[in-house]
Amino acid sequence: MATIKDVAKEAGVAVETVSRVMNNRGYISQKTKDKVHEAMKKLGYTPNSFAQGLSKKNMDCIAVIVPSVSHPYFSSIVYNLECEASLRGYKVFLYDSNGDVRKESQALRICQSSFVSGVLLFSADIPAEFLEKLKIPVALVERNPVGSTISVQCDNAMGGRLAFDHLISCGCKNMIVISTMNQIDMPGDLRESAFVARANELGIAIKIYDAKYNDFINMSYHKIINQALDENPDCDGIFATSDLIAAEVIQCCVKRGRSIPSDVKLVGYDDVPLASITTPTLTTIRQPIKEIAVNAIEAIEALHDGIYTPKGVTLPVTLIKREST
């Protein structure tokens, strides 16, 4: 039975070109279209029934399921996803699950029967066996691969190392990490573990304070931050694993009369717009949010068109130095 790769080889074009011809997406010359259609006819190739159903319904929609659309990181990524999807002719359906796995499962069931082109899922709580039963493409963002899904994430371990090395270069000797930890392993956990591993290599003790997942959902970290500052009055360096946590660190330090960066150097993570409007502005680890969006949409297209893609895409991060260090 012929595949889309066979058609591409016969027509002498890229697999992506065959996909665009079949889905009538983007500019393709009539000559190329004719070559692709001739190859399909010669090989007896027809798109799968699901793809045909999508074409007939003309939906061209991508569902995005996030745990908190009001969180600065997710609002930034959703904005970039919508922009990229629009450029490619897709509409976006947005589901805010508030971190409730039942709502996420319900949203996936709705997607299953709604003829969406695919789902971008920001959750690690959906069981692999549930995802395997779905007949639609699913790509996970900032989550580890599950089942036959594709994962798009950033190099969180690199981010942790960059944060540590920068604080050390600023002369910090008594450092703490403030992060949000989930009940199951998440790529974001590598930010903390890589930071600590780098410290262990140099024989430097690090104090760790892990907030609860509810703190993440409620976007309030003051309690854990104040505990960390109370227990470490000599702290001179803080790594916050999100810019939101870092912004609240600034608030807590201001109330205590501790100056950033004179008394405490601070590094955040994400580089969402919030990072450049705090006082002082945040030194942070930049996630390439636009590139995440591009790769996530491309993963959905590849899965939908039956094109082989790697199980995961990992993008590099960079340190952005501002006033907090």
Side-chain angles (χ1 to χ4, degrees):
M1 183 176 181
T3 68
I4 191 172
K5 289 184 179 179
D6 297 327
V7 174
K9 184 177 180 180
E10 178 68 27
V13 299
V15 172
E16 290 81 2
T17 301
V18 177
S19 171
R20 292 203 302 272
V21 171
M22 289 193 302
N23 291 288
N24 194 28
R25 188 167 59 237
Y27 173 76
I28 302 291
S29 69
Q30 189 59 49
K31 181 179 179 181
T32 299
K33 289 181 181 179
D34 291 341
K35 287 168 62 177
V36 170
H37 287 303
E38 287 173 8
M40 291 171 64
K41 183 177 180 180
K42 179 179 178 179
L43 297 174
Y45 175 83
T46 55
N48 64 59
S49 58
F50 179 68
Q52 288 178 318
L54 283 173
S55 177
K56 291 175 182 177
K57 292 292 183 180
N58 194 29
M59 292 295 286
D60 283 334
C61 294
I62 293 177
V64 179
I65 304 175
V66 298
S68 174
V69 72
S70 58
H71 191 284
Y73 169 74
F74 291 110
S75 60
S76 292
I77 193 70
V78 166
Y79 170 78
N80 280 273
L81 283 169
E82 199 283 327
C83 289
E84 184 61 27
S86 180
L87 287 173
R88 295 169 182 257
Y90 294 102
K91 306 173 188 68
V92 170
F93 286 165
L94 177 63
Y95 294 88
D96 187 334
S97 70
N98 198 36
D100 188 332
V101 68
R102 292 171 298 178
K103 288 184 178 179
E104 291 168 350
S105 298
Q106 182 181 36
L108 284 168
R109 290 190 183 95
I110 293 172
C111 293
Q112 174 74 69
S113 59
S114 299
F115 290 96
V116 298
S117 297
V119 179
L120 295 176
L121 180 61
F122 292 74
S123 172
D125 296 317
I126 304 295
E129 54 271 21
F130 182 92
L131 293 174
E132 289 290 350
K133 292 179 182 178
L134 296 175
K135 303 300 183 183
I136 51 177
V138 177
L140 301 178
V141 184
E142 274 301 298
R143 300 296 185 264
N144 293 316
V146 175
S148 59
T149 62
I150 292 177
S151 171
V152 179
Q153 57 185 274
C154 289
D155 193 336
N156 290 280
M158 176 191 288
R161 291 190 293 269
L162 287 173
F164 178 84
D165 290 345
H166 181 63
L167 287 174
I168 283 292
S169 72
C170 292
C172 297
K173 294 180 173 59
N174 301 297
M175 293 178 282
I176 61 176
V177 178
I178 304 175
S179 66
T180 301
M181 301 293 281
N182 202 348
Q183 294 178 339
I184 57 179
D185 290 337
M186 303 269 278
D189 298 342
L190 293 174
R191 303 171 189 179
E192 176 187 301
S193 59
F195 187 98
V196 174
R198 190 81 179 91
N200 290 339
E201 290 174 6
L202 301 179
I204 298 174
I206 301 294
K207 297 292 183 63
I208 301 171
Y209 291 84
D210 293 331
K212 304 299 183 183
Y213 190 67
N214 282 343
D215 298 325
F216 162 78
I217 293 297
N218 296 325
M219 295 190 295
S220 178
Y221 298 91
H222 290 89
K223 183 177 180 179
I224 193 79
I225 293 169
N226 282 316
Q227 178 187 346
L229 294 173
D230 285 341
E231 295 177 0
N232 301 274
D234 59 347
C235 167
D236 59 5
I238 297 177
F239 174 40
T241 61
S242 77
D243 289 338
L244 179 60
I245 298 176
E248 294 188 18
V249 168
I250 292 175
Q251 292 177 330
C252 292
C253 285
V254 166
K255 290 181 179 180
R256 292 165 174 265
R258 301 203 70 185
S259 173
I260 297 176
S262 298
D263 299 326
V264 180
K265 306 293 192 296
L266 173 64
V267 175
Y269 204 106
D270 289 333
D271 197 30
V272 294
L274 173 68
S276 59
I277 62 174
T278 56
T279 303
T281 55
L282 281 173
T283 293
T284 188
I285 305 300
R286 172 179 289 171
Q287 296 203 74
I289 292 179
K290 182 176 181 180
E291 287 77 5
I292 294 174
V294 170
N295 278 271
I297 299 294
E298 288 180 348
I300 288 295
E301 288 187 328
L303 287 167
H304 175 264
D305 296 335
I307 302 170
Y308 171 79
T309 56
K311 291 292 289 182
V313 176
T314 302
L315 302 170
V317 297
T318 53
L319 175 79
I320 303 300
K321 188 180 185 313
R322 295 195 182 96
E323 297 170 348
S324 67
T325 57

